[in-house]
Amino acid sequence: MDSLARDAHWRSSYGLSYPVFASLLDHLKPHLLRSDLPIPPDFALAVVLSRLSHPPSRRSLLARRHSIPPSLLSKTTNMVTRLLATKLYPDFVKIPSGHRLLQVINSFKDLTSLPNVSGAIHGSPVRLSRLPSLNPSEFGDPPSVLLQAIADHRHIFWDVCVKAPGGSDNASHLRDSLLYHRLTSSDILRDSVVTVRGHHVRPYIVGDSSYPLLSFLLTPFSSNSTGTPAQISFDAALARGRAAVEHAVGLLKGRWRILQNLNVGLNHAPQTIVACCVLHNICQIAGEPEPELFKDPKETVVPPLPTVRPLESEKSFYYFGESLRQAMADDLQERQQRLLSR
């Protein structure tokens, strides 16, 4: 079998090519050898990747397919996903800084015409195959847990958080995340400050109207394309930036198809989702062919979103974000008019 045919077979079976599998095994092997799994590291990794990259099926069927007991399949899945979500996360899910931050900003500017965009945020429900027994109403209908993801222009995640049941709103999930506290304390995204109409603008992320407007998180003026010409133009530019993370989540669920109907215990759901995000980044960085996008039926039709009110502690961030957004809209319209008049 030549390398192209071999890699196509590996992608079909395990979601990635053999060279990427071998590299991933090198990262995980030392940790797997120290574990108490009674199977070799390469077999353990292959079994878990097979489970993650295929539509959910009954655990007993998967166990028979791989000739291992169902209890060992669960133990192996939990071990490998935990290692991916903890040991490999810092290496492959990184907040941009330095030269990489400048690359991200410049690429988003080419995409949106907006200065200093460093990423786009999106909340996406990950459906659960069964309703949790405790507080089921919190998990929504259908039951799910909420993934918060921030991605760059290459559809690579640079922060992910899974802390809330699917019935939660994006704003509350954000406010409960470590990312929020790092942004409000200016611990991250401090480089590359620019000036727009007298406003000093640090790198910021963009999101839809389900998020609060803040100095470090710009949202649309309107969720239904209303407002002044400058505001409508700004909202369209912002939407082009947001599309990057929506595309990334579609790729994530298209490649790691277990996320289309997650069939692991609720206690292991967050680490499984984060593990798939790590694997997604590894594939994107390696240049793996992108799968067909998965479109969640729950997310295809989104009604106009009400404005998220700022908390008392956010008021200063909100007022600066409000004036900054208008300045950016006016600046964008002026630049567009100059181009048209040439």
Side-chain angles (χ1 to χ4, degrees):
M1 183 182 295
D2 62 33
S3 60
L4 290 177
R6 178 201 63 189
D7 288 345
H9 170 73
W10 275 77
R11 290 188 187 105
S12 174
S13 300
Y14 309 113
L16 39 72
S17 65
Y18 176 77
V20 178
F21 174 90
S23 175
L24 180 59
L25 181 62
D26 286 343
H27 285 285
L28 291 176
K29 191 172 184 178
H31 304 292
L32 290 171
L33 287 173
R34 289 195 292 270
S35 74
D36 58 352
L37 290 177
I39 55 178
D42 56 347
F43 182 54
L45 180 57
V47 165
V48 174
L49 291 176
S50 176
R51 184 177 182 188
L52 299 180
S53 62
H54 288 87
S57 57
R58 289 177 55 191
R59 187 181 57 168
S60 57
L61 294 176
L62 280 170
R64 285 201 299 271
R65 184 185 306 160
H66 296 290
S67 302
I68 60 174
S71 59
L72 180 55
L73 174 63
S74 291
K75 182 177 181 180
T76 303
T77 301
N78 294 338
M79 173 66 70
V80 172
T81 55
R82 180 172 60 82
L83 290 173
L84 286 165
T86 56
K87 300 298 184 182
L88 267 62
Y89 183 97
D91 294 328
F92 293 100
V93 185
K94 297 180 179 180
I95 295 171
S97 61
H99 181 65
R100 183 184 167 215
L101 177 58
L102 291 176
Q103 285 183 320
V104 172
I105 286 170
N106 289 334
S107 295
F108 268 114
K109 188 171 185 179
D110 291 340
L111 182 65
T112 67
S113 299
L114 299 174
N116 258 20
V117 178
S118 62
I121 187 170
H122 181 55
S124 178
V126 177
R127 184 171 180 171
L128 301 172
S129 62
R130 56 185 179 272
L131 183 66
S133 56
L134 294 176
N135 303 320
S137 61
E138 293 183 0
F139 290 85
D141 182 23
S144 62
V145 292
L146 192 57
L147 164 65
Q148 174 183 286
I150 296 90
D152 67 15
H153 61 289
R154 295 172 59 197
H155 311 129
I156 294 173
F157 300 120
W158 58 251
D159 188 87
V160 296
C161 177
V162 186
K163 296 182 69 174
S168 303
D169 61 272
N170 286 336
S172 297
H173 197 195
L174 168 67
R175 289 164 174 152
D176 195 37
S177 68
L178 176 61
L179 175 76
Y180 175 82
H181 296 288
R182 298 192 70 183
L183 287 167
T184 53
S185 64
S186 298
D187 181 41
I188 58 173
L189 303 182
R190 296 179 299 179
D191 306 331
S192 185
V193 175
V194 298
T195 301
V196 177
R197 294 186 172 234
H199 294 76
H200 296 295
V201 186
R202 60 183 272 202
Y204 58 91
I205 57 179
V206 297
D208 65 22
S209 298
S210 66
Y211 292 97
L213 170 64
L214 302 166
S215 57
F216 50 79
L217 199 177
L218 296 189
T219 59
F221 286 95
S222 167
S223 59
N224 57 1
S225 301
T226 59
T228 68
Q231 292 171 346
I232 293 172
S233 181
F234 175 88
D235 287 353
L238 208 71
R240 292 194 293 273
R242 296 201 320 269
V245 68
E246 293 166 0
H247 189 91
V249 171
L251 292 175
L252 169 75
K253 294 182 179 181
R255 179 178 277 120
W256 307 110
R257 289 179 285 174
I258 192 173
L259 299 183
Q260 296 174 17
N261 195 18
L262 190 58
N263 63 340
V264 301
L266 183 59
N267 289 341
H268 296 112
Q271 75 177 38
T272 304
I273 297 167
V274 173
C276 289
C277 291
V278 172
L279 290 169
H280 165 87
N281 277 9
I282 289 171
C283 290
Q284 290 298 109
I285 292 167
E288 286 285 281
E290 295 187 344
E292 182 178 351
L293 292 179
F294 175 74
K295 295 184 179 180
D296 193 323
K298 189 176 179 180
E299 298 183 83
T300 53
V301 180
V302 179
L305 299 169
T307 301
V308 178
R309 294 186 176 184
L311 303 177
E312 191 63 35
S313 60
E314 296 171 338
K315 287 293 181 66
S316 62
F317 297 109
Y318 170 77
Y319 291 130
F320 187 85
E322 190 177 42
S323 59
L324 174 60
R325 182 175 64 178
Q326 187 61 58
M328 284 198 170
D330 293 338
D331 183 70
L332 176 62
Q333 185 181 42
E334 184 178 297
R335 285 186 281 119
Q336 291 175 337
Q337 288 175 342
R338 284 202 302 265
L339 286 173
L340 291 173
S341 64
R342 288 181 180 176

